[in-house]
Amino acid sequence: MTNTPVYINGLGSVSPQKALLVEPLFFEANQLRCADPGYKEFIPAEMIRRMGRIIKMGVTASKLCLRDAGSSSGSNMEREIIPQAIITGTGLGCMEDTEKFLTSMIRNKEEFLTPTSFIQSTHNTVAGQIALLIKCHGYNFTYVHRGVSFESALLDAMTQFEMGELSDALVGGTDELTVNSFAITSRLGYWKRKPVDTKNLLDDRQRGTIAGEGATFFFLENYQNEHTYARLMGVTTFLKPASEKEVSKRVHDFLATAGLTTNDIDLVFMGLNGNPRTDQVYKFLAGKDFADTPLAYFKHLCGEYHTASAFAAWLAAQVISTQLVPGAVCLKSSPKSTIYEHVLIYNHFMGNNHAFILLSRP
């Protein structure tokens, strides 16, 4: 937890959903790909053809976020925002360009290689391209911490807010899905072999889950305004807990640092993904620690990927702002009217990297 307030004043997302809060999309699939927006609105036409999908997704989501932060309710004016810092997280980085470069190496026997794919294959390419396009010359960092990459980016921003190094930051999580990466991870048993109805993802008993991708960004500031969505209260991560009881203890300890208990939580977003083996810990907490708390889930809408928790945070911030939970994500509702004061996100990636994110009403 941080004593310095950190507020979410802008949101931007590119995901498999086009208008989630209006009309969620469901699929018969074992992988979900992003619905590509009109990139020409956000990226110069001459640059689009040289950019990989994850770069286009990341740049577009970041510009949507800055546009959102620059607008104020009740006004047609927008302020141009250049953040003091750009901090991103990614689990696998620019897979498409990495594959292109490696394929070219093999095909050309390591000779006559063009540098474009190599340059764009590095993990910090998305953050770098955003900085170039918006002319941001400040702090620029990318975390590649597998399933807690996005949380690591949030922790960095919060730490710098606490130290007085930053008063605002553009923070996001990006990951893409490619044909080859899907095939390779399928061999590891990550994904369901047969397509499933994503609307009934949790009812499917096949091993694995559905693959996904996305780019989600947040504009953080140390003050709130009329456009503030939520306050970022705290983030914590941990690796391979020994048991479900350890996770239970960690959630109590985490909430205690904010002066809260599980009874103070008004909604929990859980990273349930339909994998019978890895969903057990969510079900344990749902039955033990949050038995009387409204629950929501989100991976049936975006799929599973390393930074899927960014999509959950995007959803949670809007729930706090609108005080409405979309029916598509509602897992267990409250029998009475609920004010969503504190929303907790609990997510893990394949049972290894676990994280809690706490958002509160500003």
Side-chain angles (χ1 to χ4, degrees):
M1 301 294 173
T2 174
N3 295 321
T4 302
V6 179
Y7 297 99
I8 298 174
N9 288 341
L11 296 174
S13 181
V14 174
S15 77
Q17 300 294 323
K18 291 182 180 180
L20 173 59
L21 300 182
V22 179
E23 187 176 356
L25 299 176
F26 299 103
F27 307 88
E28 187 78 24
N30 59 358
Q31 56 182 298
L32 301 182
R33 296 183 181 274
C34 287
D36 294 327
Y39 290 126
K40 289 183 180 179
E41 183 183 348
F42 305 95
I43 306 169
E46 66 274 11
M47 298 182 67
I48 291 178
R49 65 182 181 85
R50 295 195 298 270
M51 286 185 173
R53 284 186 69 249
I54 190 174
I55 303 173
K56 290 186 285 189
M57 287 159 48
V59 168
T60 299
S62 67
K63 287 197 168 185
L64 283 169
C65 178
L66 294 176
R67 176 187 292 182
D68 184 42
S71 64
S72 58
S73 57
S75 172
N76 294 323
M77 299 296 292
E78 285 189 9
R79 58 189 173 116
E80 184 180 0
I81 295 178
I82 299 177
Q84 295 179 356
I86 299 172
I87 311 172
T88 65
T90 181
L92 295 174
C94 304
M95 291 297 295
E96 183 181 56
D97 284 295
T98 301
E99 291 172 7
K100 285 181 180 177
F101 179 71
L102 294 175
T103 300
S104 179
M105 281 185 63
I106 296 168
R107 183 183 298 122
N108 297 321
K109 299 180 180 179
E110 302 183 21
E111 296 178 346
F112 312 114
L113 302 176
T114 57
T116 304
S117 293
F118 173 73
I119 293 169
Q120 294 190 164
S121 68
T122 56
H123 291 82
N124 63 341
T125 301
V126 174
Q129 285 285 359
I130 295 169
L132 288 170
L133 286 169
I134 67 174
K135 297 180 173 58
C136 173
H137 306 294
Y139 180 82
N140 193 298
F141 205 89
T142 297
Y143 285 88
V144 190
H145 289 177
R146 296 189 181 183
V148 292
S149 299
F150 170 66
E151 288 81 0
S152 298
L154 284 179
L155 284 167
D156 185 349
M158 294 176 71
T159 300
Q160 296 205 53
F161 274 63
E162 182 80 14
M163 295 170 62
E165 298 291 329
L166 296 175
S167 60
D168 67 64
L170 179 66
V171 181
T174 60
D175 273 298
E176 69 176 333
L177 179 65
T178 68
V179 173
N180 289 328
S181 67
F182 178 80
I184 292 169
T185 46
S186 289
R187 297 174 191 170
L188 301 175
Y190 279 14
W191 319 124
K192 295 183 182 295
R193 292 187 176 276
K194 297 179 181 179
V196 300
D197 179 359
T198 56
K199 191 173 186 178
N200 301 311
L201 176 63
L202 300 187
D203 297 328
D204 188 87
R205 306 315 297 168
Q206 293 180 76
R207 177 187 177 190
T209 182
I210 55 174
E213 62 179 5
T216 307
F217 277 81
F218 304 79
F219 186 65
L220 307 180
E221 292 183 284
N222 61 359
Y223 65 91
Q224 69 180 97
N225 56 37
E226 70 279 2
H227 199 58
T228 297
Y229 287 93
R231 179 177 176 180
L232 177 60
M233 296 293 292
V235 182
T236 190
T237 66
F238 51 103
L239 180 68
K240 294 182 180 179
S243 65
E244 294 159 347
K245 290 183 179 179
E246 180 185 338
V247 178
S248 175
K249 181 179 184 305
R250 284 183 179 273
V251 73
H252 285 277
D253 292 345
F254 173 64
L255 294 175
T257 61
L260 302 174
T261 69
T262 53
N263 293 328
D264 297 312
I265 301 301
D266 303 301
L267 179 68
V268 182
F269 270 94
M270 292 190 166
L272 291 153
N273 64 12
N275 187 334
R277 182 179 63 85
T278 57
D279 278 353
Q280 286 304 313
V281 64
Y282 296 119
K283 294 176 180 179
F284 178 83
L285 260 64
K288 179 180 182 295
D289 302 282
F290 299 105
D292 300 318
T293 305
L295 303 176
Y297 69 130
F298 58 94
K299 288 180 181 172
H300 60 311
L301 301 173
C302 68
E304 177 70 274
Y305 55 101
H306 289 85
T307 52
S309 54
F311 182 81
W314 176 80
L315 267 174
Q318 292 182 84
V319 166
I320 291 174
S321 177
T322 63
Q323 289 294 297
L324 295 172
V325 180
V329 304
C330 190
L331 193 63
K332 184 182 73 174
S333 60
S334 173
K336 57 183 180 179
S337 177
T338 300
I339 296 177
Y340 301 104
E341 191 77 27
H342 304 292
V343 177
L344 178 70
I345 300 165
Y346 170 45
N347 183 59
H348 68 72
F349 184 78
M350 301 301 173
N352 296 320
N353 308 108
H354 296 243
F356 295 118
I357 301 174
L358 179 63
L359 302 181
S360 294
R361 199 177 183 187

